[in-house]
Amino acid sequence: MSTRPPQVIPPEGLAHQAAEWMAKSLQSALATKPRASLALSGGSTPGPAYRELSRLTLPWERVDLYFVDERFVPPDHPDSNYHMVEETLVGPLRLSPSQVFRMEGEREDRDDAARDYESRLPATLDVVLLGMGEDGHTASLFPGHPALEEKSRRVLSLVGPKPPPWRMTLTMPVLLSAHAVLMLVAGGGKRDVAKRALAGDLALPAARVSNAQWMLDTAAAGR
């Protein structure tokens, strides 16, 4: 559970507010270092925020993109988080491939793919955008899954309860060590689980990201 009060935004303004938050957080990081890292989630809620972010003026040549999680599918697959980010952010900004550190979901050896990604991660991520599912999962950390309790590994391959089942995900230590984390939640279907998470129900993975700033639309907030 975050100790900071959640921000509640009208649905039509949520994507823009999230983009402004990411831009401000990146600018803060870039004020003290030559490069900044931004880790991105998949899903229907973050996509519009990435489109809004692509329209904002930033020194993008100094920003490196990482991924919070990925399905084990090829990068051009409709279920690929990279595919969505390429369409909404990487393509519009024409970012250099050297700036985009994607999780290689096409790899056959899933654990080797996770270990390789672990070796590519910076020691600490500057900015992380997370979403939350209706079951309270965040990244690909699901309620009751052993991966939720991982303490040493930074990236894991795992089987989740939703198709496609095989996924790669950052672990909780990585999320908790990040400098700035935004939990972006939209839709009335998430109202009850958002209420539980904000009340500190640690059975929900999203509630365990105690360093996150929550931003909800009015439907998710139950207003």
Side-chain angles (χ1 to χ4, degrees):
M1 173 186 173
S2 175
T3 58
R4 288 170 281 185
Q7 297 180 38
V8 179
I9 312 292
E12 64 274 12
L14 185 67
H16 183 73
Q17 288 295 320
E20 290 279 1
W21 183 94
M22 286 186 280
K24 183 178 179 180
S25 299
L26 287 169
Q27 288 168 336
S28 178
L30 290 169
T32 61
K33 56 197 299 188
R35 303 195 67 79
S37 54
L38 170 62
L40 303 172
S41 293
S44 58
T45 303
Y50 302 152
R51 288 194 185 277
E52 290 289 328
L53 183 61
S54 73
R55 300 183 180 111
L56 300 181
T57 301
L58 285 169
W60 284 108
E61 70 281 0
R62 297 169 57 196
V63 177
D64 295 321
L65 300 186
Y66 293 86
F67 287 78
V68 169
D69 65 338
E70 181 60 279
R71 283 97 167 177
F72 273 97
V73 295
D76 59 351
H77 193 280
D79 289 330
S80 166
N81 289 344
Y82 169 78
H83 180 66
M84 184 270 286
V85 170
E86 199 282 330
E87 287 189 334
T88 57
L89 187 64
V90 173
L93 289 173
R94 299 183 180 179
L95 296 181
S96 166
S98 65
Q99 296 174 249
V100 184
F101 295 83
R102 72 176 182 88
M103 290 176 162
E104 297 176 339
E106 71 275 21
R107 297 267 294 270
E108 291 188 7
D109 192 321
R110 301 181 183 97
D111 194 53
D112 273 357
R115 290 187 182 278
D116 285 349
Y117 202 72
E118 195 169 42
S119 70
R120 300 169 75 190
L121 278 179
T124 305
L125 290 167
D126 293 307
V127 184
V128 177
L129 181 72
L130 294 174
M132 184 189 69
E134 293 186 2
D135 59 357
H137 84 268
T138 192
S140 282
L141 299 170
F142 293 90
H145 198 288
L148 190 59
E149 309 301 333
E150 179 63 43
K151 298 292 189 280
S152 57
R153 290 286 304 276
R154 305 180 71 215
V155 183
L156 288 176
S157 63
L158 54 83
V159 177
K162 297 184 176 183
W166 276 102
R167 298 168 181 237
M168 192 186 317
T169 186
L170 303 185
T171 60
M172 196 60 70
V174 180
L175 303 181
L176 291 172
S177 68
H179 292 306
V181 182
L182 180 64
M183 187 74 68
L184 189 65
V185 184
K190 299 176 182 178
R191 179 186 60 191
D192 292 340
V193 75
K195 183 178 179 180
R196 287 173 55 200
L198 287 167
D201 184 349
L202 296 182
L204 305 175
R208 299 192 183 197
V209 190
S210 56
N211 54 332
Q213 169 67 58
W214 283 63
M215 187 178 290
L216 306 90
D217 71 0
T218 49
R223 297 184 185 177

